[in-house]
Amino acid sequence: MSEKEKNNDSAKINFEDLSTIFESNLKIYNQYLESFKNLGVNQSNISPFNFNNQGSKNFTINDLSNLIAPTITKMMESFKSFSTEIQQNPNIYFDHLNRWISQIANLNFYFITRASGGIANPVILEEKTDKRFSNEEWKSNLFFDFIKQFYLISTNFLSNLIENVEFKNPKDKRLMQFYLKQLNSALSPSNFVFTNPEVLKRTIEEKGNNLNKGYENYRKDFEKHPNKLFIQQSKDGGFEVGKNLATTKGKVIFKNNLFELIQYDCATDKQYSKPMLVIPPFINKYYIMDLNEKKSMMKFLVDNKFNTFLISWKNPDSNSRNLSFKEYIESGILEAIKVTCEQTGSLSINIASYCVGGTLASLTLAYIKNIPSKYKITSATYFASLIDFEDPGEIGVFITEEQIKSIEEQMKKTGYFDGKDMAAAFNFLRPGDLYWNYVVNNYLLGNEPTAFDMLHWNSDSTRLPEKMHSEYLRCMYLNNLVVKNMYKIGDVEIDLSKIDTPMFSVATTEDHIAPWRSVYQGLGYYNSHINFVLSNSGHIAGIIQGVENKPGKLYYYSAKFEKNKNPDEWYTVAKKFDGSWWQTWSSWLAIYSGELKKPSELNRKVYETLYEAPGKYVRE
């Protein structure tokens, strides 16, 4: 065994020992519950935690070790690189350390002055958008104010230090920033009972019963999805598909082993003759496009005279392990186009796609340049979709050869990648908003999460076929083969420059999954006339926003994408508009949708109704 292998072997964590420690702690917890009976605390809703260290028949402690080992290794490599850079440039460290010491000294002076009844200005203020410190006690109570400021000064010290260190490999810097964000978020004083005034007050008032209710919430989360870092973000039972989600009227007219096709009912006296096919992502259920009446894109399209069809993807299981992008194109999108055109009598169609559905749509457009089809795609709309994966944002920290190999080893056992794992990864791209605030609310305060449709959808994830997901990670995220003209669908070479279909592309300013600059950069590989919109807000809220003109809702728009302008140059000259971009898109789409006709002239009923929307696949 080499010296390196010995070091790696000695650094491995013994998860069997950790499992024993965890079980011992759970025994202590169950004894703790028994002791509370003597204090008169209500125990009716609290039950002992039964832990099975196998998690599930497909997931063991060793699997957990293997799954996170690449991440731990990468963390250690990043810290080593950071340490090396600091040693070579010690002045950077000491400059920031001296600044930190100076601020801590000022904080001590601030504390003494206020404790003596004097008036002093805070050394540091939290961001206005930082909800962790919204409770008044963080300002009025000197103890909590001191803790908050000490935390903010220290996290700023670390963040600024990493920002000013020059790394030989820029990716190491991004990795360090990501890991530091996780550390800073986890160590926030708001996450602990005795340093969070709201939690401490609740604990005293309820004699600790809030912590018991919180642990019960944790127990339920763990039993639902062992080893997935799952935390309930939306109240159970608050939403039901077909009842208060996905309620736009329609009919399933076709199904195969990949998708159901929904044709939405006409809501106007006339419709455009060229149909619209909507391609949602296959990572989550389609009903993000039909969330509620005010934010339903499907209802918006139908109300604006578009003859609308939508793909509802089937949730894959182990029998789907060999499905690849080729099947999703040929038996998925192209089959849906064929059915839609036969149903309407049109030889051309518009498509709209979201997230990875957009990546799939682009591959399809390039594919049919080599495999001729009798049906033409007249226009293509993209919502927050990447085709250039050179800079996929913070999610890139999860994309390494070692990590992908680990995921592939796990998929060999199941035949699919569990969407819960991807949801957990996405949550930790915004740890404060999507994880730790729920830890405080659900586990420390003992509250139930509120009912929120977007978060309910976010937790309703789907699986991804083994072959397709491996292809997605390797060919796109890891090697970015599509824009390099090095990617094939079967024997068909994918060349984006052959695509000349008119496009309407939408990106969002706060997108942590499809960063807007990367979305914009990818448009340069097409040979199309492109209208580009930059909507404020995030990956979901910036797209599924409805048409109401609420305060703060705005977008930037240009009617012609110019390849010679980089994203920031475009931003400086783009026109700014208040409100929703949906109407702008509708006006653009109408140009490519043909003449208006009566619904009876457009629906040939080649395919009869199988059952009513939202269908069966969305409920699986």
Side-chain angles (χ1 to χ4, degrees):
M1 183 182 290
S2 68
E3 196 64 33
K4 182 178 180 181
E5 288 173 328
K6 289 180 181 178
N7 292 335
N8 288 341
D9 191 59
S10 63
K12 285 185 179 178
I13 298 173
N14 190 329
F15 279 87
E16 297 295 342
D17 289 347
L18 289 182
S19 175
T20 303
I21 293 170
F22 187 39
E23 289 184 49
S24 299
N25 285 335
L26 290 175
K27 289 178 182 177
I28 295 172
Y29 162 71
N30 290 332
Q31 292 170 0
Y32 169 72
L33 291 182
E34 287 295 319
S35 68
F36 254 69
K37 291 179 180 178
N38 299 324
L39 297 177
V41 178
N42 181 14
Q43 295 291 308
S44 60
N45 294 322
I46 310 297
S47 58
F49 197 116
N50 297 314
F51 176 66
N52 174 5
N53 69 1
Q54 294 299 310
S56 74
K57 65 180 180 180
N58 292 321
F59 200 92
T60 67
I61 291 295
N62 287 333
D63 290 328
L64 177 61
S65 172
N66 293 332
L67 192 62
I68 69 173
T71 301
I72 293 176
T73 301
K74 205 65 183 175
M75 285 175 62
M76 300 310 296
E77 289 175 355
S78 298
F79 279 111
K80 182 179 179 181
S81 175
F82 174 65
S83 176
T84 300
E85 296 299 332
I86 285 292
Q87 290 173 12
Q88 293 176 351
N89 298 280
N91 288 340
I92 295 177
Y93 170 72
F94 287 113
D95 286 347
H96 283 83
L97 181 62
N98 288 336
R99 193 174 305 145
W100 177 80
I101 292 172
S102 175
Q103 287 183 307
I104 293 300
N106 290 336
L107 180 61
N108 286 327
F109 178 78
Y110 170 85
F111 181 86
I112 294 169
T113 302
R114 280 199 58 190
S116 304
I119 298 174
N121 293 323
V123 178
I124 189 170
L125 296 172
E126 68 274 20
E127 298 288 338
K128 291 181 179 180
T129 56
D130 194 339
K131 299 176 183 177
R132 295 175 298 176
F133 306 113
S134 58
N135 189 289
E136 184 58 33
E137 288 285 314
W138 290 108
K139 297 182 179 67
S140 60
N141 186 301
L142 182 56
F143 171 74
F144 294 112
D145 186 17
F146 179 87
I147 291 173
K148 176 193 70 177
Q149 291 194 58
F150 183 89
Y151 166 77
L152 293 173
I153 290 169
S154 299
T155 54
N156 276 3
F157 158 66
L158 293 172
S159 298
N160 292 334
L161 178 61
I162 291 174
E163 180 63 33
N164 285 277
V165 169
E166 292 296 327
F167 288 78
K168 290 183 176 64
N169 183 352
K171 190 170 185 179
D172 285 338
K173 185 170 193 171
R174 177 168 288 183
L175 286 168
M176 277 299 299
Q177 290 171 328
F178 174 79
Y179 297 137
L180 180 63
K181 182 165 71 172
Q182 305 309 312
L183 182 65
N184 287 344
S185 296
L187 295 180
S188 170
S190 59
N191 296 338
F192 303 94
V193 175
F194 294 104
T195 53
N196 184 322
E198 185 179 4
V199 174
L200 186 59
K201 181 182 178 183
R202 177 78 65 88
T203 303
I204 294 171
E205 289 175 347
E206 297 191 8
K207 298 180 181 180
N209 201 42
N210 57 302
L211 300 179
N212 280 279
K213 289 186 289 187
Y215 208 96
E216 177 68 7
N217 289 339
Y218 168 75
R219 185 183 66 81
K220 291 177 181 177
D221 287 346
F222 185 88
E223 289 182 349
K224 283 181 182 177
H225 303 286
N227 306 311
K228 301 293 184 185
L229 293 175
F230 172 80
I231 185 167
Q232 192 79 31
Q233 295 178 330
S234 181
K235 185 177 179 180
D236 271 336
F239 298 99
E240 183 180 341
V241 172
K243 184 176 181 181
N244 52 6
L245 297 168
T247 58
T248 302
K249 299 296 182 183
K251 298 171 176 59
V252 175
I253 63 169
F254 176 85
K255 68 181 292 188
N256 61 17
N257 67 332
L258 269 179
F259 72 96
E260 292 174 335
L261 186 67
I262 298 173
Q263 180 179 14
Y264 287 98
D265 295 349
C266 179
T268 53
D269 58 342
K270 289 186 177 181
Q271 287 183 309
Y272 290 106
S273 59
K274 293 181 183 179
M276 160 60 79
L277 174 64
V278 178
I279 307 164
F282 42 71
I283 292 173
N284 287 81
K285 306 291 182 65
Y286 86 80
Y287 61 82
I288 190 61
M289 318 292 289
D290 189 21
L291 205 57
N292 58 52
E293 283 205 354
K294 290 185 177 180
K295 292 183 177 179
S296 171
M297 188 173 285
M298 298 304 96
K299 186 176 187 303
F300 171 78
L301 287 168
V302 170
D303 288 348
N304 281 272
K305 300 183 172 64
F306 297 103
N307 192 4
T308 306
F309 295 73
L310 176 139
I311 291 174
S312 174
W313 298 108
K314 181 177 173 60
N315 196 0
D317 55 24
S318 57
N319 294 323
S320 306
R321 66 165 67 238
N322 291 320
L323 292 177
S324 67
F325 274 101
K326 186 174 189 292
E327 284 73 37
Y328 272 83
I329 289 173
E330 292 180 341
S331 301
I333 294 184
L334 293 182
E335 187 68 16
I337 289 174
K338 171 179 170 289
V339 174
T340 299
C341 287
E342 288 180 348
Q343 183 77 339
T344 59
S346 176
L347 292 176
S348 56
I349 190 172
N350 298 300
I351 61 173
S353 52
Y354 195 174
C355 190
V356 66
T359 307
L360 186 61
S362 287
L363 297 179
T364 303
L365 284 169
Y367 184 78
I368 61 177
K369 288 296 180 179
N370 294 278
I371 307 296
S373 170
K374 65 186 272 189
Y375 305 113
K376 180 183 178 183
I377 298 176
T378 305
S379 76
T381 298
Y382 296 94
F383 307 129
S385 297
L386 285 177
I387 196 63
D388 182 357
F389 291 82
E390 180 65 28
D391 182 9
E394 288 187 344
I395 197 172
V397 302
F398 299 112
I399 308 299
T400 64
E401 177 64 32
E402 296 78 12
Q403 192 70 62
I404 292 174
K405 281 183 179 178
S406 176
I407 291 171
E408 288 173 337
E409 285 299 314
Q410 184 59 31
M411 289 195 297
K412 285 178 182 178
K413 298 181 179 182
T414 59
Y416 57 78
F417 181 72
D418 194 334
K420 294 296 179 188
D421 294 325
M422 187 171 292
F426 286 161
N427 285 345
F428 279 100
L429 296 180
R430 293 170 55 194
D433 293 335
L434 295 179
Y435 191 79
W436 289 107
N437 68 319
Y438 293 103
V439 169
V440 173
N441 182 74
N442 300 9
Y443 300 162
L444 300 186
L445 292 172
N447 297 329
E448 284 191 10
T450 56
F452 185 31
D453 49 13
M454 281 189 181
L455 289 176
H456 175 87
W457 169 84
N458 188 53
S459 65
D460 192 11
S461 57
T462 59
R463 298 175 289 270
L464 300 174
E466 176 187 352
K467 186 175 181 180
M468 189 277 293
H469 190 51
S470 179
E471 191 178 354
Y472 188 35
L473 293 176
R474 287 191 173 280
C475 298
M476 293 164 202
Y477 274 102
L478 185 63
N479 296 309
N480 200 22
L481 297 183
V482 177
V483 298
K484 297 175 182 177
N485 289 343
M486 297 171 62
Y487 182 68
K488 290 184 178 182
I489 300 291
D491 295 327
V492 176
E493 294 183 355
I494 297 301
D495 185 353
L496 299 179
S497 66
K498 292 182 179 180
I499 300 173
D500 56 2
T501 306
M503 296 179 178
F504 191 98
S505 178
V506 185
T508 64
T509 56
E510 306 301 321
D511 200 326
H512 60 294
I513 296 172
W516 81 264
R517 288 177 176 83
S518 295
V519 173
Y520 179 96
Q521 207 71 36
L523 300 178
Y525 292 95
Y526 303 114
N527 190 27
S528 305
H529 184 284
I530 303 172
N531 292 49
F532 185 66
V533 166
L534 178 62
S535 171
N536 71 328
S537 198
H539 188 73
I540 303 299
I543 303 298
I544 308 302
Q545 58 174 213
V547 294
E548 290 185 357
N549 291 328
K550 293 183 178 180
K553 186 187 291 185
L554 57 91
Y555 64 97
Y556 301 85
Y557 176 65
S558 77
K560 186 180 180 182
F561 168 81
E562 297 179 47
K563 292 186 179 184
N564 61 340
K565 288 183 179 176
N566 65 41
D568 294 303
E569 289 172 336
W570 173 89
Y571 183 79
T572 58
V573 298
K575 291 184 179 179
K576 178 180 173 182
F577 299 87
D578 292 323
S580 170
W581 53 267
W582 281 22
Q583 294 291 3
T584 300
W585 173 48
S586 175
S587 299
W588 176 88
L589 187 58
I591 297 170
Y592 299 97
S593 297
E595 58 185 327
L596 289 169
K597 293 184 177 181
K598 293 180 180 179
S600 58
E601 299 177 71
L602 300 176
N603 188 1
R604 301 172 65 194
K605 292 189 178 180
V606 174
Y607 296 86
E608 297 296 333
T609 300
L610 299 179
Y611 32 79
E612 297 295 314
K616 297 179 180 180
Y617 283 173
V618 73
R619 302 178 194 275
E620 293 180 355

